[in-house]
Amino acid sequence: MLDLLTLASRACKRYSCRRHGEYGPGRKDEIERAKSEGKDLTKEEKQRLRKEKKQQKKSKEKKDDKASQENEKEKKPVTSAAPAAPASQPPTKPTMQKAPSAVPATAPVSVPASEASGPADKPAKTKAELKAERRARQEAERASKQSKKGETGQQATTSKPKAPPSDLQPVVKRLPEHIQVDNPDVLKKLAKKLERQQIPLRLDYGYKVSLFSHLHQYSRKAPLTQQLSIPSTVIHPAIVRLGLQYSHGIVAGSNARSVALLHAFKQVIRDYTTPPNEELSRDLVNKLKPYISFLNQCRPLSASMGNAIKYIKKEISNIPSNCKEEEAKSKLLNDIESYINEKIILAGVAIAKCAIEKQKISDGDVILVYGCSSLVNHILCEAFEKSRKFRVIVVDSRPRLEGKEALRRLVQKGISCTYVLISAVSYILPEVSKVFLGAHALLANGYVMSRVGTSQIALVAKAFNVPVLVCCETYKFCDRVQTDSFVSNELDDPDDLIVTRKGTTPLEGWQNESSLGLLNLVYDVTPPDFVDLVITELGMIPCTSVPVVLRVKNVDQ
Amino acid sequence: MELQAVLMAAGGGSRMTDLTYNTPKAMLPVGNKPLMWYPLNLLEKVGFEEVIVITTKEVQKMMSTDLKIKDVKMKLDVVSIQEDGDMGTADALRHIQPKIKTDILVLSCDLITDAALHEVVDLFRAHNATMAMLMSKAHEFTETVPGQKGKKKTAEQRDFVGVDQSGKRLLFMANEADLEDGLSIRKSIMRKHPRMLIKTGLVDAHLYCLKKAVVDFLTENKSISSIRGELVPYLVRKQFSKTVNSQKLKDDIDDQTQEKNDGPANHELLISSRDEPLLQLAQERSCWNDHRGDMSEAYHGGKLRCYVHIMDQGLCCRVNTLAAYIEVNRLAPKLFEEPSVHPSADISERCQMGSDSIIGALCHIADKTSIKRSTIGNNTTVKEKVKVTNSIIMHGVTIEEGCNIQGSVICSNAVIGRGADLKYCLVGNGQHIEPEAERTNEIIVGTDQLMEI
């Protein structure tokens, strides 16, 4: 843990110099540049050493590197092209979505600035060679993959505006399917894949607001089980139950979903028998794939669930082939137990300890929380037990009204709470001394993805100079990059917004109004400049150190 | 395997003895199909592959010869029980306990419905319930029932069903017969669910999803003999009993000893999940609660939960009275798109047949007959100049010329003499009606049947 921390802090400065120019706001980059001039040589040496290390671990490292770099490269043209498009290119395709045109309105203004300053800022003489090498490698790779992915790449690029600079190759190879719902080819592919796995396709429901027409929107009244046979044979009953619980919202919240997922996987592993002539390590992973598609159809997977699945798949494929089935199964079950223990339970304990001991919760504090985050509730309950005197303001929002559950849990402990709706946040903020937020995921560029409304609270808190602390376990860190809430989000059932008061339901016939659309967003992203600190079990890190932690984790594994 | 289906087909049809003294209830023809074919068809449509059928030896014999039942593609595991042995439905479950390996779906053979079963099973799955059942809004029977003298008295004792605000959780269930001084609801229930809807006009479809632990509980408690009459009210009451909820207080020694004494009663609490702590953790971390306004966690911490799905549209009928039987004969054929006239029936051209009549296999319908809104069974002969309206004619019946049959039920192998005029009558099995008879609103059965009472 100590090594990790020092490595993280050391790498932090170096990394922020290099990466800030590509992702972060332009201002910080200038400050870092001044620092970087003095440390040029040592940085270069270290970079060379790193490169040699990479070349040693040839095949695997290279693929990962390229894959991640291409991901970054493709995300960059997507996000950079968007602000550039209205400026430099007239919309060429009439089918161009309104999403890119809306993005510049909401994306932080610093992004185009950083784009312009990014490539130019780097001291050309020291980095040019590295860049050239990297580019050559990528060109070679792209040329080989061009024929394979030519069609889908073109489709994807025609639906998004073309990236203007030619050195940033625009071939968008693989956008995730769940944000391309308006592309009929992608839908067809998905339907075929589901058919192959014998999982029913869940149909979208209702009119989708045009800005979000690229996302799925399902109705809770049409569960996926309608199309399954009742004693479900294709999908393990535990997974069907889990899928139902996800789609009904009975299991909600990042940690709860991951724990429930791992619990269901434990049942699956227990009931699994290796068919003859098959190896457990390969067959079990194949068995899990349709289950994961099913769960995805019930409710899009969260980042924490994705990481848990990756871990399990890795553990399964690492089982030696000479291992007996019983041993293998018990080893897997133990692995799952230890994952939950380490990454969720103990991480929660460590975070609470960190927050309390480092005086992040002190006597006389007025703490603002939003919605119901299991981790934040845990921290507050622990602090209360360690007899810190503080009071809590719970901010809530429709339609989920999760704050009521948080309120119940805190009041049950004996903490004195105030309850407001999000519309009163600017009224209540002068009283607040700290804001504690939970996170659904922490993205690789330092953005915090959390329940919709979080970024609003962070913004208002920033305006009032109130410190914002985000609490997040490291297993929720994901290497996706997002700068706005439009590209990738989740649309919940629009009928949740319908309310009956005094016997009348004004929105009852909303589907019949052609000019009315109901939008029920679930997540939003908060930029790192609104977040002052992220408390993880590795310690308290700034938001921008998330990619460092991710990289160190990857190296570890 | 997730669910095992159990079909209870040993019932005697005690409320329609006129129909069932010769034909067991499970094999009564409805729309020319045996009654038990309907629930089997429902299970098959939904995707079951195996069904355990509990029935009598007589029904088992009839099943093996019936064509429609042979058509059923599922594997039927028939368990026969003594006919005269007074076995209730719960006793039958106890009898087949060794065969039960997972949670079960119990059906009665007299259920005809087009309900979406996944609604019931989803409640069972999503909330990890101990029991989930199906109910339907009752419909008035509009057809005149033969043999009914005077207005139909509301002899059927009402069922009081209490559900919570969402309409899914079952809070209270009692029959009018058990409530002597009036309906009393415990304060503990009111405290947890301050808003309760009590409904009386509901028909219990006798379709239950039960956890395996309940079947194990039945083997311990031999005093429970009927699912509907005893087990269901017991489970509904147990949801709110103190011993169930005090499982949490594990430090209190007194409670522990009390739990040990309540051993057999707590068997259904052994909701077998080997990773119970993980489930608990997931529930704790989840920000969901089924109710708002008080300090308790989801489900008020109760482990035993009963759910009900109330259908308001669609057909759901239990064929346990004559009126229901007649009603169902009218409605059931509409569920399926089968040709109303069996291809092997021999119908002459000058026969007037309404579109809502059903003619069975190998029938002979002569000229100048008029058949409206009726069901005619297999192997029936209808001679000339016969008018059949609004009636149900079962298999092997012979109707001589010139008869006029209205609103009646003619059981199998009966012979109606020529020129007979029957209005709202029930003719029992194998009866002969003399020619030129005029009967109205009568039940004509053999003398041996009268002796059985």
Side-chain angles (χ1 to χ4, degrees):
Chain A
M1 195 108 148
L2 196 58
D3 290 335
L4 214 63
L5 202 50
T6 49
L7 191 59
S9 55
R10 231 182 285 149
C12 175
K13 284 206 191 115
R14 191 178 62 215
Y15 193 83
S16 58
C17 294
R18 208 162 74 107
R19 289 297 186 199
H20 254 257
E22 290 175 341
Y23 302 114
R27 295 170 246 135
K28 279 205 180 158
D29 197 85
E30 278 151 3
I31 303 170
E32 293 301 323
R33 196 160 42 109
K35 281 191 199 164
S36 73
E37 308 262 273
K39 295 183 196 169
D40 253 347
L41 295 168
T42 50
K43 239 197 309 175
E44 239 213 287
E45 281 173 24
K46 283 187 181 161
Q47 278 168 0
R48 289 249 170 76
L49 272 169
R50 243 190 295 140
K51 268 206 69 205
E52 283 170 18
K53 230 178 145 185
K54 277 183 195 167
Q55 280 170 1
Q56 274 169 19
K57 302 181 188 179
K58 229 189 202 173
S59 52
K60 212 179 177 186
E61 282 290 297
K62 248 192 187 172
K63 266 191 196 151
D64 281 348
D65 220 28
K66 275 183 200 160
S68 60
Q69 273 183 8
E70 267 153 20
N71 266 338
E72 289 154 9
K73 285 282 180 210
E74 69 192 44
K75 295 292 187 226
K76 214 171 52 142
V78 171
T79 52
S80 65
S88 58
Q89 264 191 0
T92 47
K93 307 276 181 251
T95 56
M96 183 151 77
Q97 316 309 329
K98 299 191 187 79
S101 59
V103 164
T106 55
V109 183
S110 48
V111 171
S114 77
E115 261 320 289
S117 62
D121 246 356
K122 300 199 168 90
K125 49 183 170 81
T126 54
K127 305 249 174 125
E129 331 160 351
L130 296 165
K131 248 191 157 180
E133 275 178 50
R134 233 190 303 139
R135 209 168 295 141
R137 236 188 315 156
Q138 283 171 2
E139 296 286 341
E141 245 236 326
R142 249 172 225 125
S144 64
K145 282 194 181 172
Q146 200 69 23
S147 50
K148 250 198 291 173
K149 306 265 177 147
E151 265 187 21
T152 44
Q154 270 168 29
Q155 267 293 11
T157 44
T158 48
S159 60
K160 306 261 171 201
K162 297 222 189 319
S166 58
D167 56 351
L168 302 166
Q169 274 296 327
V171 178
V172 182
K173 291 227 177 93
R174 267 199 340 208
L175 280 175
E177 168 281 318
H178 67 271
I179 60 172
Q180 282 188 281
V181 174
D182 49 359
N183 189 344
D185 291 334
V186 172
L187 282 182
K188 256 189 264 171
K189 260 185 152 189
L190 172 70
K192 257 194 246 165
K193 175 177 123 182
L194 290 177
E195 214 182 328
R196 218 176 348 127
Q197 295 174 332
Q198 294 176 294
I199 294 181
L201 175 70
R202 197 170 183 192
L203 295 171
D204 282 0
Y205 165 76
Y207 169 70
K208 284 190 264 191
V209 173
S210 55
L211 272 176
F212 293 93
S213 56
H214 62 285
L215 299 170
H216 283 293
Q217 181 171 282
Y218 299 127
S219 164
R220 201 157 292 140
K221 292 203 257 301
L224 205 48
T225 50
Q226 245 173 343
Q227 302 157 50
L228 283 178
S229 69
I230 281 199
S232 63
T233 40
V234 175
I235 304 174
H236 192 274
I239 303 278
V240 178
R241 172 172 301 160
L242 188 65
L244 266 178
Q245 287 178 330
Y246 283 163
S247 62
H248 284 294
I250 295 175
V251 175
S254 203
N255 281 339
R257 284 167 75 186
S258 307
V259 171
L261 175 74
L262 291 169
H263 165 81
F265 276 173
K266 273 182 104 170
Q267 320 268 65
V268 169
I269 291 175
R270 272 215 192 90
D271 294 337
Y272 171 77
T273 47
T274 326
N277 306 331
E278 294 277 354
E279 267 194 39
L280 184 136
S281 54
R282 252 169 278 150
D283 190 55
L284 187 52
V285 177
N286 288 338
K287 270 262 157 56
L288 290 181
K289 282 201 186 131
Y291 299 164
I292 294 168
S293 309
F294 173 76
L295 291 175
N296 208 2
Q297 290 280 85
C298 290
R299 190 173 166 197
L301 296 181
S302 67
S304 55
M305 286 166 69
N307 287 341
I309 291 173
K310 266 193 225 149
Y311 173 78
I312 291 192
K313 282 191 173 165
K314 193 173 74 85
E315 288 300 313
I316 296 177
S317 28
N318 281 347
I319 288 183
S321 47
N322 56 0
C323 197
K324 270 188 290 213
E325 187 175 318
E326 283 310 312
E327 277 179 41
K329 287 193 340 189
S330 64
K331 175 178 175 297
L332 285 175
L333 296 174
N334 284 336
D335 282 337
I336 293 182
E337 275 288 325
S338 63
Y339 184 82
I340 295 180
N341 213 14
E342 274 173 41
K343 306 277 181 177
I344 302 180
I345 302 179
L346 290 180
V349 169
I351 293 176
K353 206 162 141 210
C354 194
I356 297 169
E357 280 174 10
K358 304 255 168 80
Q359 300 303 321
K360 293 299 171 220
I361 301 183
S362 23
D363 288 347
D365 257 347
V366 179
I367 298 181
L368 185 122
V369 298
Y370 178 63
C372 184
S373 162
S374 56
L375 186 55
V376 173
N377 291 344
H378 175 74
I379 295 176
L380 293 176
C381 294
E382 283 289 306
F384 189 73
E385 274 180 28
K386 300 236 165 66
S387 9
R388 296 273 193 273
K389 309 263 177 303
F390 59 94
R391 67 183 179 93
V392 175
I393 299 181
V394 179
V395 178
D396 201 7
S397 70
R398 273 197 68 223
R400 286 176 173 238
L401 292 173
E402 286 170 342
K404 289 193 176 179
E405 183 60 21
L407 184 68
R408 175 189 78 80
R409 289 179 197 198
L410 296 175
V411 172
Q412 201 178 27
K413 277 281 176 171
I415 305 175
S416 56
C417 300
T418 311
Y419 176 85
V420 292
L421 285 182
I422 196 166
S423 37
V425 119
S426 54
Y427 170 77
I428 203 97
L429 255 169
E431 294 179 18
V432 172
S433 63
K434 291 191 183 79
V435 175
F436 269 76
L437 298 173
H440 172 258
L442 242 59
L443 305 175
N445 56 348
Y447 279 64
V448 178
M449 182 180 220
S450 188
R451 187 67 81 219
V452 65
T454 313
S455 71
Q456 183 180 337
I457 296 210
L459 172 69
V460 181
K462 185 82 179 174
F464 278 89
N465 276 325
V466 173
V468 173
L469 290 83
V470 169
C471 311
C472 184
E473 298 96 334
T474 53
Y475 86 107
K476 289 184 193 159
F477 287 12
C478 96
D479 46 15
R480 227 173 51 201
V481 170
Q482 221 177 301
T483 51
D484 58 68
S485 320
F486 292 86
V487 163
S488 174
N489 208 324
E490 188 187 327
L491 292 179
D492 210 357
D493 189 350
D495 290 337
D496 282 350
L497 295 176
I498 300 179
V499 149
T500 306
R501 291 220 172 96
K502 293 191 186 164
T504 55
T505 316
L507 280 177
E508 205 164 7
W510 72 272
Q511 306 236 36
N512 306 329
E513 301 279 341
S514 57
S515 50
L516 179 64
L518 294 190
L519 180 65
N520 190 355
L521 276 182
V522 182
Y523 298 119
D524 72 4
V525 280
T526 310
D529 29 343
F530 296 154
V531 176
D532 294 301
L533 196 64
V534 176
I535 310 181
T536 68
E537 71 262 27
L538 299 176
M540 309 211 183
I541 57 176
C543 232
T544 46
S545 305
V546 168
V548 181
V549 172
L550 272 175
R551 213 155 38 87
V552 171
K553 258 203 317 183
N554 284 338
V555 168
D556 263 353
Q557 287 166 3
Chain B
M1 238 218 301
E2 193 187 354
L3 277 181
Q4 274 176 289
V6 177
L7 183 66
M8 301 279 184
S14 50
R15 275 183 272 186
M16 43 185 199
T17 45
D18 312 316
L19 285 175
T20 55
Y21 71 90
N22 213 343
T23 324
K25 181 172 85 164
M27 298 303 286
L28 275 180
V30 172
N32 290 338
K33 301 188 188 81
L35 184 55
M36 67 190 290
W37 182 84
Y38 288 88
L40 285 175
N41 184 45
L42 178 69
L43 291 174
E44 192 176 349
K45 257 198 304 200
V46 160
F48 275 93
E49 282 166 22
E50 287 184 13
V51 183
I52 301 175
V53 181
I54 302 181
T55 183
T56 58
K57 286 210 170 49
E58 198 187 333
V59 174
Q60 193 173 7
K61 258 190 281 177
M62 290 178 80
M63 269 171 69
S64 51
T65 53
D66 193 286
L67 285 172
K68 271 283 171 186
I69 301 247
K70 286 218 203 123
D71 256 347
V72 170
K73 294 190 194 64
M74 302 185 289
K75 180 170 150 265
L76 300 177
D77 180 6
V78 183
V79 174
S80 51
I81 56 173
Q82 301 290 68
E83 234 174 86
D84 43 354
D86 215 2
M87 248 200 185
T89 40
D91 298 325
L93 273 187
R94 205 175 294 129
H95 182 76
I96 58 166
Q97 196 259 344
K99 288 185 192 262
I100 306 245
K101 310 262 181 298
T102 67
D103 304 336
I104 55 174
L105 175 69
V106 181
L107 285 181
S108 171
C109 65
D110 57 8
L111 173 67
I112 298 188
T113 179
D114 61 351
L117 273 193
H118 76 90
E119 304 261 4
V120 179
V121 182
D122 278 351
L123 281 175
F124 184 68
R125 290 167 175 151
H127 297 276
N128 210 8
T130 312
M131 178 192 82
M133 56 189 282
L134 176 68
M135 286 192 135
S136 164
K137 290 211 161 65
H139 298 286
E140 280 295 313
F141 296 140
T142 49
E143 304 280 338
T144 331
V145 178
Q148 271 283 259
K149 291 172 170 67
K151 276 214 165 359
K152 181 167 181 259
K153 53 185 163 67
T154 45
E156 302 294 321
Q157 302 218 296
R158 290 180 294 176
D159 268 329
F160 291 92
V161 178
V163 292
D164 76 340
Q165 228 176 330
S166 67
K168 299 277 175 200
R169 180 93 189 260
L170 196 50
L171 302 175
F172 180 79
M173 176 171 283
N175 191 287
E176 197 172 345
D178 302 326
L179 304 169
E180 265 135 67
D181 315 334
L183 194 79
S184 57
I185 301 177
R186 277 201 275 176
K187 243 200 242 174
S188 58
I189 306 180
M190 291 304 294
R191 240 182 261 131
K192 291 180 184 165
H193 299 269
R195 293 212 174 169
M196 197 192 309
L197 297 165
I198 301 195
K199 307 191 178 204
T200 50
L202 291 181
V203 165
D204 182 353
H206 207 289
L207 189 148
Y208 308 108
C209 274
L210 296 168
K211 269 208 145 55
K212 179 170 182 304
V214 177
V215 182
D216 298 335
F217 166 73
L218 279 180
T219 47
E220 307 273 327
N221 279 339
K222 304 213 193 290
S223 58
I224 298 186
S225 70
S226 156
I227 296 183
R228 174 67 184 89
E230 289 164 44
L231 182 63
V232 170
Y234 177 79
L235 288 176
V236 174
R237 264 199 322 269
K238 232 13 186 146
Q239 283 178 103
F240 302 104
S241 87
K242 287 211 187 109
T243 47
V244 171
N245 293 331
S246 67
Q247 260 226 326
K248 293 183 281 184
L249 307 164
K250 292 224 170 89
D251 342 71
D252 202 337
I253 305 172
D254 291 313
D255 272 331
Q256 275 190 348
T257 50
Q258 191 189 22
E259 274 170 31
K260 287 207 188 99
N261 293 338
D262 277 318
N266 284 354
H267 259 266
E268 69 260 32
L269 308 175
L270 304 176
I271 297 175
S272 53
S273 165
R274 264 172 290 188
D275 297 302
E276 190 68 22
L278 264 191
L279 266 185
Q280 278 283 77
L281 179 66
Q283 202 177 330
E284 266 172 51
R285 297 293 180 119
S286 169
C287 50
W288 178 83
N289 205 325
D290 63 332
H291 64 278
R292 279 199 185 130
D294 68 353
M295 282 299 197
S296 31
E297 51 187 34
Y299 306 125
H300 300 277
K303 299 244 189 256
L304 217 167
R305 304 184 269 276
C306 300
Y307 283 86
V308 63
H309 172 70
I310 301 180
M311 275 172 69
D312 35 349
Q313 282 166 349
L315 170 67
C316 174
C317 205
R318 281 204 61 210
V319 183
N320 47 11
T321 59
L322 188 53
Y325 178 72
I326 295 176
E327 181 81 15
V328 139
N329 258 295
R330 201 74 56 230
L331 299 171
K334 299 205 179 85
L335 286 182
F336 307 101
E337 279 144 28
E338 280 180 5
S340 47
V341 178
H342 198 274
S344 68
D346 167 31
I347 304 183
S348 78
E349 288 106 30
R350 287 196 282 162
C351 150
Q352 280 179 331
M353 225 189 54
S355 57
D356 40 8
S357 299
I358 301 183
I359 315 282
L362 304 172
C363 282
H364 291 277
I365 316 272
D367 299 339
K368 298 196 195 142
T369 51
S370 151
I371 302 179
K372 294 199 171 61
R373 292 187 81 214
S374 300
T375 310
I376 304 203
N378 303 336
N379 292 315
T380 310
T381 313
V382 178
K383 301 255 168 73
E384 290 90 359
K385 296 200 194 128
V386 169
K387 262 180 79 176
V388 180
T389 327
N390 255 349
S391 301
I392 300 169
I393 304 189
M394 294 198 201
H395 309 303
V397 173
T398 312
I399 304 183
E400 305 284 348
E401 296 109 20
C403 286
N404 184 356
I405 302 180
Q406 199 179 340
S408 305
V409 178
I410 318 273
C411 292
S412 308
N413 302 320
V415 176
I416 314 287
R418 56 171 67 211
D421 185 4
L422 298 171
K423 288 196 182 58
Y424 306 114
C425 291
L426 185 138
V427 178
N429 261 64
Q431 295 301 308
H432 287 254
I433 306 287
E434 63 277 9
E436 308 297 332
E438 270 189 34
R439 308 290 187 99
T440 313
N441 212 1
E442 273 183 45
I443 298 187
I444 305 157
V445 291
T447 43
D448 50 348
Q449 203 268 322
L450 290 171
M451 302 264 268
E452 265 176 44
I453 302 166

